[in-house]
Amino acid sequence: MQDQFDNLSLHTNRGIDVLDKYANFLRDRVAIETEYAGKLRRLVKNYQPKKKEEEDNEFTSRQAFRNLLKEVGDLAGQREVVSETLQVQIIQGVNLLSKTLREDRKKCLNDGTVLQQTLSAQLSSLERAKRNYDKAYRDSEKAVENHKKADMDFNLSRAEVERYKNIMTSKIQQSDDAKNEYANQLQKTNNLQQQHYGTLLPAVFNRLQELDEKRTRGIREFIIGAADVESSVAPIIARCMEGIVKAGESINEQEDSLKVIERYQSGFTPPADIPFEDLSKMDSSIATQSNYSSVTYNHLTIKGTISGPKFKKPRGGILNSIFGSNKNSLTADGQKEDFSDLPPNQQRKKLQAKISELQHKVDQETNTRDGLMKMKIVYEANSSLGNPMTVEGQLNESEHELEKLKNDLKKYQGYLDKANQLQVVNNSPQSNRNQLQNGHRTSRHSNGSASADDHNDGDDQPDDAGSLSRSDSEDNVAQIQNGHNNNNNGSASPESGLGTSHTSLPGSGQGSANENAMGEETCYETEVELLQPLGTCRALYPFEATSEGSIPMNEGEELQVIENDQGDGWTRVRRANNSNGWDEGFVPTSYIECTLFA
């Protein structure tokens, strides 16, 4: 291959061009991956449930769709990981290798070119020496022949013959010198040629070979590396697919149907049979009034249901007389504060949900207040840790907020009690009997008010109402008032800024109305109690603790759950450490798989 220097140079150049083409391919793929991930994220964002659709999130189909969006968002994240890894690890490596190869190839080509020029110059010198020797030899032969002719010619003088002899001697000397020069140049050329083709040029070829092999090996490693980047996210993508399948399998059409029935069940009793009115036995005025009463009743019995037409709500009634005027007490969505504009069943559900929400806020605010009190006690015991007065303002604000929440809770519990009492009144036999008097009917509005056809003395309270049992919803309210929050272990959530202390406080988290007022001297237990685990969990992904109150975990690690997610996306866990103690802290709920105890 000594004569293939130009072809080898062209081959190595094409090989580096292939490497650059692969780098361009990776850049285009990274752009596609980035664009794909961005479009997936925009797709997830565009199809996120709107605020007005939050009430439909209880349906399994809506929950499955939300889980689907979450998994698609995770898929977009994995495509971003692939894009970033290819950009940082593969493309930069390809560019660096291509630059190095081009520089090495340029050096090799320069060395080869110098060798070729040196050999060519030596061959040119040899060619010149050979031409000089050839000319000198012919001139010497001609001078010898001229001398012989002059020596044979008797007409020439001896001086002329001597001149030809001197010319012959000079030409012969020049011929010998040219011969020696030619022999010297020939020896140099042969030596240089042997060194060129035997050592110098093969060394250049070996360097070009190593360069080309390095380029080939680099392409192989980069292709495998790109595949490894894709394979590294394949398990997470597979889990996303499993999550999508699990979301689809979680859809239960029967459960959704029951929730629809539960949501829109008004609580109104179906209308009784319409009595026959014998017009021959009634005067015209009573018949007209009776017909109007029947039409009004049929219209009002469908109020509050899905198919009921829109009509103006009555101004007066039993509920308004009980609760008073709520014209100015409206919620953010335009409903009354006590939800008296809803059908009875829906009103009670709304009130129960509001009570549960307020109870949860009371528990959280109680934990915050207790944490601030403990912080103040610690500061008072050791002033080097902080000034107790800095906590005073926060403590006053927390006490005020807690008192406000308790008042709201008591108010809504009163609303629920009255709604349950009204349900007992409406469902009693005496109330049903009072709705039919002298062949005329009364209809009950959605707010509990009763309208009579031509007369109503307003005294429709049953005699035995007090002997009837409360509804199940009232029992639930009693449990909310007297029960404990099982998910609240007296610890503060990460966003409360109170750390991960699990010191037990007497009465904390109970929602009791007998809270100590501000300024009273209360002794708290500062002894740390070990919380009972609620279950176990396994880490699905590794997590590095970067914020205060969180702890790191490795993939597959088993931990104890000591506090469930309070809606902030964090779960409190515990694990044993090397010093025979326990490490506690918060980890992302989406990073673990929990198994709670029965």
Side-chain angles (χ1 to χ4, degrees):
M1 299 181 63
Q2 291 80 1
D3 56 344
Q4 300 299 318
F5 179 79
D6 294 337
N7 292 332
L8 292 178
S9 174
L10 184 62
H11 169 76
T12 54
N13 185 56
R14 287 199 300 262
I16 298 177
D17 289 341
V18 171
L19 186 63
D20 292 338
K21 184 180 293 185
Y22 179 66
N24 294 332
F25 165 77
L26 288 178
R27 273 191 289 271
D28 292 342
R29 182 186 173 186
V30 165
I32 293 174
E33 293 281 1
T34 304
E35 181 182 6
Y36 176 56
K39 288 184 176 180
L40 280 181
R41 291 202 178 277
R42 284 195 297 272
L43 179 67
V44 171
K45 181 179 179 181
N46 292 337
Y47 282 88
Q48 284 293 339
K50 303 297 186 295
K51 189 173 180 112
K52 61 182 180 181
E53 300 174 351
E54 289 182 354
E55 61 179 5
D56 294 334
N57 291 340
E58 60 179 334
F59 298 112
T60 57
S61 58
R62 295 296 184 94
Q63 294 173 2
F65 184 67
R66 287 204 319 273
N67 293 333
L68 169 64
L69 293 178
K70 177 183 177 183
E71 299 297 342
V72 173
D74 292 341
L75 284 176
Q78 297 309 310
R79 301 325 305 176
E80 291 174 347
V81 170
V82 171
S83 174
E84 293 174 0
T85 308
L86 288 178
Q87 178 68 40
V88 173
Q89 296 182 3
I90 307 301
I91 295 181
Q92 290 185 2
V94 172
N95 292 334
L96 180 60
L97 178 62
S98 176
K99 180 180 179 181
T100 303
L101 292 178
R102 288 194 180 278
E103 291 176 355
D104 294 343
R105 175 180 175 275
K106 184 177 180 180
K107 293 179 181 179
C108 292
L109 294 181
N110 289 337
D111 294 342
T113 301
V114 171
L115 293 177
Q116 289 284 9
Q117 292 175 353
T118 302
L119 181 60
S120 298
Q122 184 60 41
L123 291 175
S124 299
S125 299
L126 177 62
E127 185 65 24
R128 287 195 301 271
K130 184 177 180 181
R131 287 198 301 270
N132 292 335
Y133 169 62
D134 183 60
K135 180 180 179 182
Y137 178 77
R138 288 196 300 271
D139 291 343
S140 65
E141 289 291 329
K142 186 176 180 182
V144 169
E145 185 176 354
N146 291 333
H147 175 264
K148 288 182 179 180
K149 289 181 180 179
D151 189 44
M152 296 294 295
D153 190 0
F154 294 104
N155 295 323
L156 295 176
S157 62
R158 190 172 182 83
E160 289 290 333
V161 173
E162 190 64 26
R163 185 175 66 82
Y164 279 107
K165 182 179 180 180
N166 291 335
I167 292 173
M168 178 190 69
T169 303
S170 175
K171 294 295 183 181
I172 291 174
Q173 184 63 38
Q174 292 178 1
S175 175
D176 291 339
D177 293 341
K179 181 179 180 181
N180 292 333
E181 180 64 21
Y182 169 66
N184 187 27
Q185 291 296 331
L186 181 61
Q187 185 177 4
K188 288 183 179 180
T189 301
N190 289 334
N191 292 336
L192 182 60
Q193 187 169 268
Q194 290 177 0
Q195 187 178 11
H196 176 81
Y197 290 108
T199 304
L200 300 178
L201 190 60
V204 174
F205 286 167
N206 289 336
R207 289 165 58 190
L208 288 175
Q209 181 180 355
E210 293 176 359
L211 183 147
D212 193 63
E213 289 177 354
K214 183 178 180 181
R215 186 264 311 171
T216 306
R217 184 171 57 254
I219 292 179
R220 180 190 65 187
E221 293 176 354
F222 289 133
I223 291 177
I224 296 175
D228 291 339
V229 171
E230 189 79 22
S231 300
S232 64
V233 300
I236 302 179
I237 293 178
R239 290 178 185 174
C240 293
M241 295 295 105
E242 292 175 0
I244 293 175
V245 173
K246 189 177 295 183
E249 293 174 348
S250 66
I251 298 177
N252 189 328
E253 63 278 6
Q254 296 179 353
E255 182 179 347
D256 284 356
S257 298
L258 292 177
K259 289 181 178 179
V260 172
I261 296 173
E262 182 182 359
R263 169 183 291 187
Y264 296 109
Q265 187 177 13
S266 64
F268 291 117
T269 57
D273 295 338
I274 301 175
F276 177 76
E277 298 177 356
D278 192 350
L279 300 180
S280 63
K281 298 180 181 180
M282 302 172 63
D283 56 19
S284 60
S285 61
I286 298 177
T288 304
Q289 190 177 19
S290 177
N291 289 336
Y292 175 76
S293 176
S294 299
V295 173
T296 304
Y297 175 79
N298 292 335
H299 174 67
L300 293 179
T301 53
I302 59 175
K303 180 182 176 183
T305 60
I306 299 176
S307 60
K310 295 182 179 178
F311 55 88
K312 187 174 181 180
K313 300 176 183 177
R315 295 181 179 272
I318 297 177
L319 282 181
N320 285 341
S321 65
I322 295 176
F323 293 115
S325 177
N326 291 326
K327 181 170 63 175
N328 296 327
S329 299
L330 300 178
T331 60
D333 53 359
Q335 294 180 336
K336 291 186 177 180
E337 185 181 34
D338 58 355
F339 305 106
S340 60
D341 54 343
L342 297 177
N345 280 0
Q346 297 183 30
Q347 180 191 11
R348 288 193 300 274
K349 291 175 185 174
K350 287 284 188 179
L351 289 173
Q352 290 171 356
K354 186 68 175 178
I355 290 173
S356 299
E357 179 185 352
L358 289 174
Q359 183 65 52
H360 181 67
K361 290 182 178 180
V362 167
D363 294 337
Q364 285 188 334
E365 194 63 33
T366 301
N367 292 334
T368 302
R369 191 275 315 272
D370 294 341
L372 290 172
M373 283 187 173
K374 289 197 300 182
M375 188 181 298
K376 181 180 178 181
I377 293 174
V378 172
Y379 286 172
E380 290 175 349
N382 189 355
S383 60
S384 62
L385 297 177
N387 187 2
M389 299 305 297
T390 59
V391 191
E392 191 72 27
Q394 299 179 18
L395 195 55
N396 291 334
E397 183 179 352
S398 178
E399 287 283 356
H400 178 72
E401 182 66 21
L402 184 60
E403 187 66 25
K404 179 181 177 183
L405 290 174
K406 287 181 179 179
N407 291 335
D408 291 343
L409 179 61
K410 185 177 180 180
K411 178 176 63 176
Y412 278 95
Q413 286 172 347
Y415 289 157
L416 183 59
D417 289 342
K418 294 178 181 179
N420 289 332
Q421 292 173 3
L422 184 59
Q423 182 190 22
V424 173
V425 171
N426 292 337
N427 294 335
S428 63
Q430 181 67 29
S431 176
N432 293 332
R433 286 195 297 269
N434 289 338
Q435 292 185 15
L436 181 58
Q437 298 175 355
N438 299 327
H440 301 291
R441 296 182 183 276
T442 59
S443 61
R444 190 159 300 281
H445 296 273
S446 63
N447 63 354
S449 64
S451 63
D453 50 359
D454 58 351
H455 64 279
N456 187 358
D457 55 5
D459 187 12
D460 58 350
Q461 295 295 332
D463 297 333
D464 55 349
S467 63
L468 297 178
S469 62
R470 295 288 183 127
S471 63
D472 293 340
S473 61
E474 190 173 7
D475 296 336
N476 293 335
V477 175
Q479 293 176 6
I480 293 175
Q481 290 174 339
N482 301 323
H484 300 277
N485 188 357
N486 293 332
N487 291 334
N488 190 353
N489 295 321
S491 62
S493 59
E495 65 271 12
S496 67
L498 298 179
T500 59
S501 171
H502 52 272
T503 304
S504 175
L505 290 174
S508 64
Q510 304 299 327
S512 174
N514 298 324
E515 297 290 342
N516 293 329
M518 187 62 191
E520 293 181 355
E521 295 183 0
T522 305
C523 180
Y524 294 97
E525 297 179 7
T526 58
E527 182 179 353
V528 177
E529 298 177 0
L530 192 63
L531 300 177
Q532 293 297 325
L534 305 178
T536 60
C537 66
R538 183 176 62 87
L540 300 176
Y541 314 105
F543 173 69
E544 297 292 337
T546 57
S547 60
E548 183 179 359
S550 61
I551 62 172
M553 62 181 179
N554 299 321
E555 182 177 359
E557 183 178 357
E558 296 287 341
L559 303 146
Q560 293 182 356
V561 178
I562 58 175
E563 183 178 330
N564 287 326
D565 189 349
Q566 301 294 325
D568 55 3
W570 294 86
T571 299
R572 189 177 177 186
V573 298
R574 177 172 63 202
R575 64 158 172 250
N577 56 30
N578 296 331
S579 58
N580 296 326
W582 297 92
D583 290 334
E584 290 186 6
F586 291 89
V587 296
T589 305
S590 59
Y591 277 53
I592 59 175
E593 182 180 24
C594 295
T595 303
L596 300 181
F597 299 143

